[in-house]
Amino acid sequence: MKKLFRNKDNLLMAYYSKTIQEEELKNKVREEWFAGYDNTDIPGKVDFYVGYNGTTYLWAEAKRGVKRNIYEQFVQLILTIGKDRRFTELDAPDYLGSFDAEKIGFVHFDEVSGVFEQNDFNWNVVPSDHTSKEFNQLYNMVHDTLKTHVFVFNFEKQADSLRFFIKDKFSTTGRRASKTSVNKNNFPHIYRRWLKEVKGSLAVEWEDLAEIGIYDCHFFLADLMSQDNSTLQENLSVLLKKDHYKVNTGKVQGNNTYLFANFDFNDGQMAHKLFWQRYKRPPRSEYRDYILERADRLRPQDIRERHGSYFTPMIWVEKSQEYIARVLGENWQDDYVVWDCAAGTGNLLTGLTNRYNLWASTLEQADVDTMKERVSNGANLFGNHVFQFDFLNDPLVDYTTKEGVFVKSKIPHELQNIINSPERRKKLVLYINPPYAEGDNRSGKGRSGVAANTAVAKNFGSSMGYAKRELYIQFLTRIYREIPGAIIADFSTLKNLQAPKFADFRKMFCLTPKAMFIVPADTFDNVKGSFPIGFKVWKTTDIEPFNGIVSDVYDSKGELLPQKQIVSYEGLRFINDWTLSFIDDSQESIATIIGIANDFQNQRTVRIERPNRPWNHQYQWQITEFNIIESCIYLAVRLVEEATWENDRDQFLYPYDTWRTDNEFKTDCLAYTIFSNKNNIRSSDGPNHWQPFTETELGITDELPNHFLVDYISGKRRPTIIQTELFDIQQDCEPLRFSPEAQAVFDAGRELWSYYYQQPNADLNASYYDIRKYFQGTKVDKKGKEVMNTTSEDGIYTKLYSVLRMAHRRLAEKIRPKVYEHGFLK
């Protein structure tokens, strides 16, 4: 079977091959769509038959290729039946049908049965002759009926609807197919099917509507919240009105009433009817408010990325309100006015009880309409406390320009009065989960320039520095600068607290949270990645530079974990600054080390590769006999602490000098690096300086080509003078001594190396990477790149490798506390 594909012009092609023969097409349609039915009792010259237990369900016409006018196929079928007159001898079918390589159509026999009663019609014409007078006469007679009553299904785009239709109309159980109920779990899946099957049939200019914040999801909600094809929720931005949609354009005409636009279907509403025959509408009442609240899940991905909006899960909504109460007191809901100025569909205010003190605004009118619909369904807000407002561009209060022009704010006067009063602002809580979009982020279409062009960026950009790229930083800045004294309670990433590039923002936003917790980012819908999102409560009256805070930590289920120190790193030097003290690429190289940036986000890229690798990273250098210990310390401290969502924003730092006299720490890091899976030295790169064993230890009689590492460990290749930034250090050249944990790694490695050298054609220059590749083999990944398999079929190797990895993990556990003791991490 040839499934649907797209050609270079992005046009839909046939589901089955256009060149498929008619008999083969009938066989495939029979097998794929009508398996289990009787397809053998074909009357006369009818092409296709479907029946079950003596009931005739379908007579159909089949055509190879793709026929654009399916009505002509029905007329040919009607002529075929009329000419044969078999319907007078047999039970007429429930339906007539017609199909080609792309689609199949059905019409109930009763809708066209009247044409067979004509006494003066010449049925003795060739049915396939579409040019005959009789064919045209019959076509004109039934065209309007067919246009109204034929159900046409695209095999690929409407497969689910087709299967439902067949199950419902051609029952093998005596029962009609049951419709699927829509609930809070399946509505996003139904929406995705709707996009595939229905959206294309709407006569809508989507780009024009997107400019006013109306998207396909709003049309879907209008459909979903309908009964008898009419939307029940009158406050939604898009309403279904039987056979067309009514859209609130957001524009106001006379008498302050909204201007609406109407949109029709381009297929006579056929796809719409076929789709919704499968589902019960509207959802049960207990699901409706939840679906409206979670309408953000339906918003197109590029829009979610551009706006940076992320729905706040109820588990964190409830937890955040607990933390606000810790700072403001148990009666805070009565004592403070709460404004969510990035409300979306308003779920952040769920659970708050004093609706007299609650306000909600959001960027798009469609979301305002959704919130007002939720209010009419019982949400604890006043409708006139919900309003459309662009927080990064619109004026907060009414004002008059220097030229005498009065500018009116969209914010209701009651809330403006609070903003205008220094004392009342102290009782105003800006409770928000603002957008996280980064204006120039390379992922996500349409982000470029989003942050740079806001009024906030233009007014306060110099004080925000690099951080102005982040929309949530602009929210915090405007509140801090234009609503001084207010309380801020916000969800956001930790960049504003920790990122080195956000230092200018921290100098301006001179606050320390009064309470804070962090949670995994991927618990928020539409958020990908393993990093923390923090909730912070700030009092803008309490000016206090942020240096650090001990934050509570919750896992994805809301269970409390050990607390974590969050620090700003202000005035501190980082681990890559430390590397400058020992980089000297003028010496003979034994490997290139790749370092990248200072944080855990880049941990996976830290590695060792071939000597003198071409420079293409900000931090990479050559490992030599003069800096091998420092380089191994660098790799070990970067890798022994596992990257998690909690430490994703943590920075590796310039260490204390205590590492210099900790010889066991040094040799532990050397052993860790030699046997690290991030040591990618290969024999094909040249002499392998990382061979850790002698010929005697390995039980081989041939001489190994390189003894650098063995000589270094024994003291033969270690320089006696090590140069530092400030002075030269005299170094002893006694053999290195290893801790029991490091020695265990060497012992396990020796067993693995010895087993490798028992293999035929073992390479004397083999590295650790080569040994693993030898036993595990390689494969080609989806990108066409050769990668190493993760397992081996050699049982002895698997056991020896497992022992080595276990010893290596134990060594990592030993090194880990030293990372903090010597100041590489805080």
Side-chain angles (χ1 to χ4, degrees), residues 18-29:
K18 283 186 177 182
T19 59
I20 191 174
Q21 295 300 310
E22 185 175 305
E23 285 304 314
E24 185 181 357
L25 174 63
K26 289 190 289 186
N27 288 336
K28 289 187 177 297
V29 170

Side-chain angles (χ1 to χ4, degrees), residues 191-238:
Y191 165 64
R192 285 191 285 273
R193 296 177 190 135
W194 182 93
L195 288 177
K196 177 182 175 182
E197 300 183 33
V198 180
K199 179 181 176 180
S201 70
L202 275 57
V204 173
E205 294 293 335
W206 297 106
E207 291 184 1
D208 292 344
L209 287 183
E211 293 180 1
I212 60 172
I214 301 294
Y215 307 105
D216 49 42
C217 58
H218 298 117
F219 285 80
F220 172 76
L221 286 175
D223 282 0
L224 186 61
M225 298 297 175
S226 293
Q227 190 169 45
D228 299 326
N229 242 28
S230 293
T231 305
L232 299 176
Q233 277 74 7
E234 286 292 328
N235 286 326
L236 295 181
S237 294
V238 180

Side-chain angles (χ1 to χ4, degrees), residues 51 54 124 163 165 542 648 675:
N124 295 316
R163 294 192 192 283
F165 181 91
D542 295 352
D648 183 72
F675 298 97

Side-chain angles (χ1 to χ4, degrees), residues 132-263:
S132 69
K133 179 186 71 174
E134 287 78 9
F135 188 96
N136 289 317
Q137 179 183 344
L138 189 58
Y139 183 91
N140 293 331
M141 185 182 303
V142 299
H143 177 267
D144 291 344
T145 298
L146 294 174
K147 185 176 180 180
T148 303
H149 297 288
V150 166
F151 297 93
V152 181
F153 300 87
N154 181 287
F155 284 124
E156 198 277 337
K157 293 179 65 176
Q158 295 169 298
D160 291 338
S161 291
L162 173 55
R163 294 192 192 283
F164 180 90
F165 181 91
I166 293 170
K167 184 178 179 181
D168 186 49
K169 307 302 183 184
F170 304 167
S171 175
T172 59
T173 63
R175 298 188 301 273
R176 296 181 66 89
S178 58
K179 293 187 176 183
T180 300
S181 297
V182 182
N183 56 48
K184 64 181 183 179
N185 296 316
N186 67 7
F187 78 94
H189 306 295
I190 296 171
Y191 165 64
R192 285 191 285 273
R193 296 177 190 135
W194 182 93
L195 288 177
K196 177 182 175 182
E197 300 183 33
V198 180
K199 179 181 176 180
S201 70
L202 275 57
V204 173
E205 294 293 335
W206 297 106
E207 291 184 1
D208 292 344
L209 287 183
E211 293 180 1
I212 60 172
I214 301 294
Y215 307 105
D216 49 42
C217 58
H218 298 117
F219 285 80
F220 172 76
L221 286 175
D223 282 0
L224 186 61
M225 298 297 175
S226 293
Q227 190 169 45
D228 299 326
N229 242 28
S230 293
T231 305
L232 299 176
Q233 277 74 7
E234 286 292 328
N235 286 326
L236 295 181
S237 294
V238 180
L239 304 175
L240 177 62
K241 296 293 186 180
K242 295 295 186 181
D243 59 355
H244 69 281
Y245 293 96
K246 183 178 179 182
V247 176
N248 183 350
T249 65
K251 299 178 181 179
V252 178
Q253 54 183 357
N255 301 321
N256 291 324
T257 58
Y258 282 111
L259 180 65
F260 287 85
N262 294 328
F263 294 91

Side-chain angles (χ1 to χ4, degrees), residues 784-803:
K785 181 180 178 181
E786 183 183 67
V787 295
M788 193 184 300
N789 294 319
T790 56
T791 60
S792 171
E793 297 180 0
D794 188 311
I796 297 176
Y797 165 79
T798 300
K799 182 178 179 180
L800 294 173
Y801 180 69
S802 177
V803 172

Side-chain angles (χ1 to χ4, degrees), residues 507-522:
K507 290 178 182 177
M508 180 271 296
F509 192 82
C510 197
L511 300 176
T512 294
K514 300 299 181 182
M516 177 178 175
F517 67 83
I518 62 173
V519 299
D522 59 11

Side-chain angles (χ1 to χ4, degrees), residues 778-789:
T778 61
K779 62 183 177 182
V780 177
D781 65 12
K782 294 180 180 179
K783 297 180 180 180
K785 181 180 178 181
E786 183 183 67
V787 295
M788 193 184 300
N789 294 319

